[in-house]
Amino acid sequence: MTNKKNRLAALAIAAMLTVVAGCSGSGGNQAENVGTGNESKSGSPSFNLWLGWTLTINNDSLVQKYWRDKEPGVDVKLETTQGDAMTALNLKINTGGFEDAAIFGRNETVRSAMNRSKQIMSLEQYFDMPDKYPGLASIPKQYLELMKDEEGHIWSIPTWFDQNPDEPWPGWASQAWFIRTDVLEKAGLTKEDLTTIEGVEVYLRKAAEQKDAAGKALLPLSFLMDTNDTLNWSDENAILTSFGVTTAGRGIDKRGDDFVFAYDDPGFKAAYQWMNKLYREKLIDPEVVTNKKEQYMEKNKAGRVALNAGTFWNISPTVWETLDGPTEPGWYYDVIPFPKVQGVEKVGINQVTNPNPGYDVYISKKTKNLEAILKFFDYSLQQKPEQQQVINEGPAGLYWDWIDKPIGKWEFTDETYKASRNSGDAAQKAKATPELYMVSSYSNEWYPWWNTAEAEKAGAAKTIKLTESIGKMGSIRVAEPYDLLEMKQGGVWEKYSPEVENIRKEYRAKLLMAKDDAQFESEWEKFREALEKRGHWSEVKQEWLDTYQAAMKAGEQK
């Protein structure tokens, strides 16, 4: 184990031991729950898996049939969430809880609600039974240690983690600045002219003079202000990154011996001042605040935008992946380094490569299907580089196969499966697979969508090239111990973080659209006042700092 991993694990474990309250009352007599459980019509044991997100499901999909009839021999019935996940969770808890198992993206609020409900069972014993559950036993121990409460209990099965925490997969880097090279060429500029924020402004003014295919003036700069985004995942983050603001994780950056929170970073205000200046000069899409995702994507597809800031997932990679050549505007999208801002020494961090689990599976203490649940997740969590592909699409040789050798290039081999899988229609895809890659894990040794030979269009290769380029721009780093601190349940961080997020969304629009400098300053002061009065900002920060100091002391003692 490397010194880096030792340090990370020790501090995070110490934080858990210091601040996480024990929840021993959540369990119950688990011996009563093992049993044989329910069986499907095929005779296979079955269980219900409640998904903490909205999904079109078909419980007779081809991949689920394989799970039921072949391997692991378990019938997994999916139940999806409608609307807001936390509202659905609270309703479920208050009406008796979920039936068997539930999977949610790792979230402190979810974890706290699950533990306080007293409706889930502790699972630590099942990670130490290699003869019966080798997949569960193969989960890297450092992940499990981080999950233990004060009494040593683990309350969920971790999923979607890196199999090799010492050499983590870098992830899909996607937040950056995206130029249209055809517009750039018509403006008489090159990418080298866009290395500074001033150079970008020159380009935007020249782009405003150009027309799209329909004869409309181009929108110089646009991004998506999604009502569902967060501080660590929003399009404005690409701009904040240039201004040196760290938004990844909890939006906390370590500078020397001090910590700087995103909203306190001078670059945060400066970035919105810059956006406000451009908005007043009509260099930003005037509908930027009200655009729905579909509208934003359509504008990009139609070639209306000269420069995008944010994640390419919001632009939609389909605007280039469906092309074989320069037949539409999407062909010309390219990435530029984060423009330099005077006085900013280095760009901020907008993505943390975190090898730790991204999802948690909770098991109801009233389930009669525990053995089926454990059997399925023991299968899904086998530590094989290709396992996420196996879970997503079935095993090699069924609907897809290797082209030359294992852990190399692959392609779909079943045309019926492929047609449904890649139809673009949610109902058709659901007939093939529920696409539950997140119940598995991943590996830097082999990542399926970087090794596919399925690309039928030349533009499909662009997405991988873009993400590889963005990954080298300095805006991504591996998780540090302070990124992994667990905040105490029922504390001010847990209580007020949602309101702090609401305040960010409320005032970002007001700051962006301020009619002049005086109004901007007025809205900025109101933003800061709201953070304190409604978001208890000073208390929230202090609790985080106290938690960090406690973790440091506990780590030193260990």
Side-chain angles (χ1 to χ4, degrees):
M1 184 181 291
T2 63
N3 290 334
K4 170 84 170 179
K5 186 172 76 175
N6 266 326
R7 181 167 58 93
L8 186 152
L11 285 178
I13 292 168
M16 287 285 286
L17 293 174
T18 303
V19 304
V20 178
C23 303
S24 58
S26 299
N29 188 346
Q30 296 176 34
E32 297 176 357
N33 300 108
V34 178
T36 57
N38 296 329
E39 292 187 348
S40 66
K41 293 179 181 179
S42 67
S44 301
S46 68
F47 73 95
N48 180 283
L49 179 61
W50 182 40
L51 308 178
W53 58 89
T54 301
L55 180 72
T56 299
I57 60 175
N58 179 335
N59 276 319
D60 206 29
S61 72
L62 293 172
V63 169
Q64 284 168 279
K65 284 182 180 178
Y66 178 83
W67 295 342
R68 180 189 68 203
D69 300 335
K70 299 294 183 181
E71 191 179 23
V74 176
D75 190 7
V76 184
K77 297 296 186 184
L78 304 177
E79 176 188 349
T80 188
T81 295
Q82 299 298 329
D84 178 69
M86 282 309 304
T87 300
L89 175 59
N90 288 328
L91 178 61
K92 184 80 78 172
I93 288 173
N94 291 329
T95 54
F98 53 93
E99 182 180 349
D100 292 315
I103 180 170
F104 278 77
R106 178 156 286 192
N107 180 292
E108 291 175 10
T109 306
V110 171
R111 177 178 59 83
S112 179
M114 288 288 192
N115 283 337
R116 285 199 296 256
S117 76
K118 311 278 188 209
Q119 294 173 0
I120 59 174
M121 63 171 63
S122 59
L123 305 169
E124 61 279 354
Q125 61 182 308
Y126 303 113
F127 303 117
D128 196 26
M129 301 171 66
D131 293 338
K132 187 172 185 179
Y133 303 118
L136 297 179
S138 68
I139 297 172
K141 293 298 184 282
Q142 69 185 79
Y143 301 150
L144 298 174
E145 287 296 324
L146 298 179
M147 296 171 64
K148 290 181 178 179
D149 67 12
E150 288 180 331
E151 297 179 1
H153 295 306
I154 298 175
W155 298 98
S156 63
I157 298 174
T159 68
W160 200 239
F161 50 80
D162 200 304
Q163 296 174 13
N164 306 294
D166 285 339
E167 298 180 19
W169 177 66
W172 285 95
S174 69
Q175 297 189 67
W177 298 61
F178 298 89
I179 194 77
R180 280 265 304 282
T181 56
D182 56 333
V183 176
L184 184 67
E185 184 177 351
K186 290 177 183 177
L189 301 172
T190 67
K191 288 201 287 186
E192 285 68 32
D193 296 315
L194 307 181
T195 56
T196 66
I197 207 76
E198 292 80 10
V200 167
E201 291 183 32
V202 171
Y203 167 72
L204 294 176
R205 294 187 177 93
K206 288 182 177 291
E209 301 170 357
Q210 297 188 37
K211 309 287 185 182
D212 65 14
K216 298 179 180 179
L218 288 183
L219 302 169
L221 172 63
S222 193
F223 44 88
L224 180 65
M225 299 181 77
D226 192 340
T227 57
N228 294 313
D229 66 20
T230 61
L231 171 66
N232 60 13
W233 184 256
S234 77
D235 273 4
E236 297 115 288
N237 285 0
I239 297 172
L240 290 164
T241 300
S242 280
F243 281 80
V245 182
T246 286
T247 56
R250 293 191 175 98
I252 302 172
D253 192 27
K254 194 171 193 294
R255 299 177 187 172
D257 293 329
D258 298 321
F259 289 99
V260 177
F261 292 73
Y263 302 127
D264 299 339
D265 192 319
F268 190 91
K269 180 180 181 181
Y272 278 94
Q273 283 177 313
W274 183 77
M275 286 184 259
N276 174 245
K277 181 183 87 168
L278 264 60
Y279 187 81
R280 283 152 49 187
E281 293 180 19
K282 303 187 186 311
L283 295 177
I284 291 180
D285 181 357
E287 298 177 323
V288 68
V289 173
T290 57
N291 274 331
K292 303 297 184 186
K293 188 169 185 177
E294 294 75 15
Q295 294 172 301
Y296 179 72
M297 292 169 65
E298 183 55 38
K299 287 179 178 180
N300 290 309
K301 181 177 176 59
R304 298 287 326 281
V305 183
L307 178 67
N308 295 80
T311 169
F312 60 58
W313 300 118
N314 285 340
I315 296 171
S316 182
T318 58
V319 303
W320 55 74
E321 289 180 343
T322 56
L323 304 178
D324 256 332
T327 53
E328 294 182 35
W331 182 263
Y332 298 99
Y333 273 95
D334 202 358
V335 68
I336 61 171
F338 292 98
K340 295 178 181 178
V341 176
Q342 188 173 4
V344 176
E345 294 184 4
K346 63 177 183 177
V347 299
I349 301 298
N350 61 37
Q351 182 172 323
V352 169
T353 300
N354 184 358
N356 287 271
Y359 290 79
D360 287 287
V361 177
Y362 300 92
I363 300 179
S364 171
K365 68 179 182 180
K366 70 179 182 182
T367 182
K368 302 300 182 184
N369 305 302
L370 178 58
E371 183 57 39
I373 298 169
L374 295 174
K375 185 177 181 181
F376 175 74
F377 285 100
D378 184 65
Y379 168 73
S380 74
L381 292 172
Q382 294 179 79
Q383 303 296 281
K384 300 176 181 178
E386 72 275 21
Q387 192 62 14
Q388 64 160 302
Q389 172 78 347
V390 172
I391 288 296
N392 229 43
E393 320 290 356
L398 185 60
Y399 302 120
W400 64 277
D401 211 343
W402 308 110
I403 291 176
D404 46 9
K405 59 181 180 179
I407 315 301
K409 293 290 184 180
W410 67 274
E411 64 182 356
F412 286 119
T413 54
D414 185 298
E415 290 301 320
T416 301
Y417 180 91
K418 178 180 176 180
S420 295
R421 174 71 174 80
N422 294 341
S423 66
D425 178 84
Q428 287 297 316
K429 178 188 283 188
K431 290 181 180 179
T433 174
E435 206 168 13
L436 290 183
Y437 61 86
M438 69 286 295
V439 305
S440 186
S441 57
Y442 55 92
S443 171
N444 200 19
E445 188 175 344
W446 187 79
Y447 192 78
W449 294 105
W450 287 11
N451 290 281
T452 179
E454 279 300 307
E456 297 179 351
K457 302 290 184 179
K462 182 186 285 285
T463 305
I464 293 173
K465 291 180 180 178
L466 289 173
T467 198
E468 289 178 334
S469 296
I470 298 167
K472 300 174 183 176
M473 291 182 180
S475 62
I476 300 172
R477 61 166 171 75
V478 176
E480 294 287 346
Y482 62 83
D483 294 309
L484 307 176
L485 291 182
E486 291 280 351
M487 305 306 293
K488 67 181 179 183
Q489 296 179 23
V492 292
W493 186 286
E494 180 184 294
K495 183 176 181 180
Y496 293 112
S497 287
E499 184 60 18
V500 170
E501 182 57 42
N502 290 336
I503 294 167
R504 178 191 72 87
K505 289 179 179 176
E506 176 184 344
Y507 279 94
R508 64 177 178 178
K510 294 178 179 179
L511 293 169
L512 177 71
M513 296 191 297
K515 64 181 180 181
D516 52 33
D517 291 346
Q519 187 178 26
F520 181 92
E521 289 297 331
S522 175
E523 294 297 346
W524 178 258
E525 289 304 315
K526 292 176 182 176
F527 169 61
R528 297 298 304 180
E529 289 174 7
L531 281 177
E532 281 298 331
K533 292 181 179 179
R534 289 163 47 194
H536 294 251
W537 186 230
S538 294
E539 295 175 51
V540 167
K541 291 187 295 182
Q542 191 59 52
E543 182 180 80
W544 187 91
L545 291 168
D546 291 345
T547 301
Y548 175 76
Q549 291 298 329
M552 288 288 291
K553 290 179 180 178
E556 291 171 359
Q557 292 170 1
K558 290 176 73 69

